[in-house]
Amino acid sequence: MAAKPPAGDPVQDAPQVAAPQHAAAGLPAIGHTLKMAQQQMGVRRTAQTLLKVNQKDGFDCPGCAWPEEDKRHTAEFCENGAKAVAEEATLRRVTPDFFAAHPVADLATRSGYWLGQQGRITQPMYLAEGADRYDAVTWERAFEIMAEELKALDSPDEAVFYTSGRTSNEAAFLLQLFAREFGTNNLPDCSNMCHESSGSALTQTIGIGKGSVSLEDLHQADLIIVAGQNPGTNHPRMLTALEKAKAAGAKIISVNPLPEAGLERFKNPQTPQGMIKGAALTDLFLQIRLGGDQALFRLLNKLILEADGAVDEEFVRDHTHGYEEFAAAARDADWDETLAATGLERTKIEQALAMVLASKRTIVCWAMGLTQHKHAVPTIREVVNFLLLRGNIGRPGAGVCPVRGHSNVQGDRTMGIFERPAPAFLDALDKEFGITSPRHHGFDVVRSIQALRDGEAKVFFAMGGNFVGATPDTDVTEAAMRKARLTVHVSTKPNRSHAVTGARALILPTLGRTDKDVQAGGKQFVTVEDSMGMVHASRGNLTPASPHLLSEPAIVARLARAVLGPASTTPWEDFEKDYGTIRDRISRVVPGFEDFNARVARPGGFTLPHAPRDERRFNTPTGKANFTAAPVEYPKLPEGRLLLQTLRSHDQYNTTIYGLDDRYRGIKGGRRVVLVNPDDARELGLADGAYTDLVSEWKDGVERRAPGFRVVHYPTARGCAAAYYPETNVLVPLDATADTSNTPASKSVVVRLEQSPTA
Ligand SMILES: Nc1nc2c(c(=O)[nH]1)N[C@H]1C(S)=C(S)[C@@H](COP(=O)(O)OP(=O)(O)OC[C@H]3O[C@@H](n4cnc5c(=O)[nH]c(N)nc54)[C@H](O)[C@@H]3O)O[C@H]1N2
Ligand SMILES: Nc1nc2c(c(=O)[nH]1)N[C@H]1C(S)=C(S)[C@@H](COP(=O)(O)OP(=O)(O)OC[C@H]3O[C@@H](n4cnc5c(=O)[nH]c(N)nc54)[C@H](O)[C@@H]3O)O[C@H]1N2
Ligand SMILES: [Mo]
């Protein structure tokens, strides 16, 4: 059965608004899933793919990084995972005819939604210097072009190699090896815009930048705090774990400026009781102001210190460092300041404290609501202080749980995709391959854009993702990209980055997770690491979109041969033939991967070691878990302004737009909406349904404007507004980033709302 043709562009953005929902998933979600899947894949392929998602012999869902339960259901996926699969396994095709019909200037006028809906790219495409459109090119010629440009650079540091988080461990390992053999650590990745703040805070405090809990721990917790995360949309399978925890007696506190449907009530589509009745998940909702979390946790810490016997003194004495200094700072926490920073009522904080003190096993989960602020790193360090105080780390049912986004973003970092690699990692790499990796740090995402803008970087290569769509300050970023000599995108589907190019550009089409991968050495599989440090195999089973696609490992291996030539003694050809040979090398370079091939052959895979979780050992310079004592910060708003967070709707995967609805929030048929608290809206004279421009105000004096947003009166915290990314990326200044992690502060943009002339 054929797939339906995509909707035409210009996409009509005409939002309709109804009351937000209070429950996530259940029957409507299943119907919605099948409809979307069949539109893209037809009936047969829908059945063929969806039954293989997250099965032990199947492929890893390209949706989020939430782990799988050990006992799998026949349908181990969620509505949004199914959408991610359908987008990739679609029967729609983008052939050279498409690029012949659409010059680059035309592609640049299309919405991201329209571009993505065209389907899978079938052949390598080349935009020659001065040409107005892409033309088909052979793989040989494509690698020659890249080699020409890379070899012409004055320094390897003029090249940037970006990775998005769907890339497998094998491809990621090869890419960082190639970059370092070529001579640069310019390996920015989507993590720089995502959980970098978590990585920075956790490495400094507990000695490892990863979460310390397993699914089992969640099931055993007494208290789970979910702060700055919308799992109903972005990690739907997490709701099953929360439901299980509740059934075993856990309490849940959600900390969020928005009441999110999934956290309120969950109708589990995998159990008959759940589908009908659904479980109320949140016991206490703390409707916090954007950026108020550090102040909240600081005050809770003060109250814990003041409560009788609430501190785990043995743990603090044996396993931590810096307690005195931290405790002094925490004792100074001020109720009035906290109430101002958080917008919470005193009684709510007292209720939270009672739940905290009643819990012997506490877990804090978080995502972008904590990581994308100027003071994100000290905020997450305060969460760590909070857990350390009561010994909630390194024992069952307790710990830190940063919930990762892209399905292998954690694995890519483990494989060495990092602009600031640890010297020990480079030493091991150099020893294994007989190379000399550069030791100086490379560019992260924001630095890469600045380097392109300033002419310090000239070649941009992206292993997946949609760099200009996902990064901040769209106008600045696009101008920077256009200054490059060559831009290369290894992609599955068309996106904005293909329309905003350097002097020359290449699009290299690749296999996705669902595709069968056959090389000279036979059928291959790849591996991924989930948000909880479990490594397992992923095997696609679909016939690829075209015979011309190359896998990501093959693309890197051939690129390396073209650029490095016979001087490289790395066996790139063998790596392409048999990914087992890549895993052998990983097993000798990356700690925790000993005997990789044998262990990953086991169904379900294996768990990586995590010293704090496994043995309460902390690999920090002090040898202990570090308490820290940063000054409390929170955003302060000038009169008549709102603080805007840029977030995801229910129908998107980052810059991939599945549809124009945000079902749980009651929005239909459009994305240009801004959610504003009704009281703020009244004060600002903004009626529900009015159209407004969002104008961001930043200290550089530049006015950044996103025109034509429909105002929606919505129960968000006072002073706070919300609108979808990527449309609002134009508002986020390039240098508005988090201290230490340099992550764009996409959750706190000061805006004024101006009546739209277009209304
Ligand atoms: N279907 C789907 N799944 C996805 C993705 C997707 O786009 N679509 N993206 C993937 C990726 S890469 C990632 S990183 C994750 C993202 O997962 P999330 O972090 O859940 O994604 P966001 O939509 O950015 O939502 C941020 C949440 O934090 C809240 N928040 C914002 N600011 C604050 C704050 O200052 N304090 C508190 N306490 N809360 C705040 C918002 O109201 C919202 O509920 O999801 C992954 N999974
Ligand atoms: N304002 C604002 N900006 C943000 C955020 C925010 O909350 N607010 N969130 C940030 C976060 S958390 C993240 S992670 C980034 C995401 O940044 P990216 O990871 O760069 O963006 P995606 O939209 O996930 O990338 C989608 C593209 O990936 C390609 N693709 C899909 N699957 C594959 C594959 O298997 N292989 C290859 N090679 N390509 C593939 C497709 O061509 C698709 O168009 O955005 C960040 N930007
Ligand atoms: Mo992310």
Side-chain angles (χ1 to χ4, degrees), residues 727-738:
E727 289 81 350
T728 46
N729 259 335
V730 63
L731 300 172
V732 185
L734 188 59
D735 54 352
T737 60

Side-chain angles (χ1 to χ4, degrees), residues 62 88 116 121 162-167 190-191 193-195 368 371-372 405-406 409 462-467 469-472 489-496 498 508 510-513 552 646-648 653-656 724-726 728-729 732 744 746-747:
E88 181 178 303
I121 305 166
Y162 172 72
T163 310
S164 161
R166 276 194 194 177
T167 295
C190 68
S191 225
M193 300 180 267
C194 185
H195 268 292
M368 298 305 99
T371 64
Q372 298 176 334
H406 265 301
V409 61
M463 182 54 92
N466 176 8
F467 191 82
T471 48
H489 287 91
V490 179
S491 304
T492 51
K493 304 182 79 179
N495 64 42
R496 178 81 192 159
H498 304 147
L508 307 179
T510 192
L511 300 176
R513 282 285 166 76
E552 292 183 349
T646 61
L647 81 181
R648 292 154 174 82
Y653 194 92
N654 299 336
T655 70
T656 300
Y724 305 131
Y725 120 89
T728 46
N729 259 335
V732 185
S746 325
K747 296 287 190 272

Side-chain angles (χ1 to χ4, degrees), residues 14 34 39 53 119 235 275 280 314 419 443 484 527 542 547 568 579 587 603 620 740:
L34 289 176
Q39 278 174 359
V53 185
H235 304 90
M275 195 123 84
E314 202 178 306
E419 73 283 357
F443 300 150
T527 61
L542 295 179
S568 172
Y579 303 168
S587 72
T620 60
T740 313

Side-chain angles (χ1 to χ4, degrees), residues 196-208 376-381 384 740:
E196 198 67 63
S197 303
S198 309
S200 300
L202 293 176
T203 304
Q204 192 185 357
T205 53
I206 65 167
I208 177 168
V377 175
T379 298
I380 297 163
R381 282 175 9 199
V384 173
T740 313

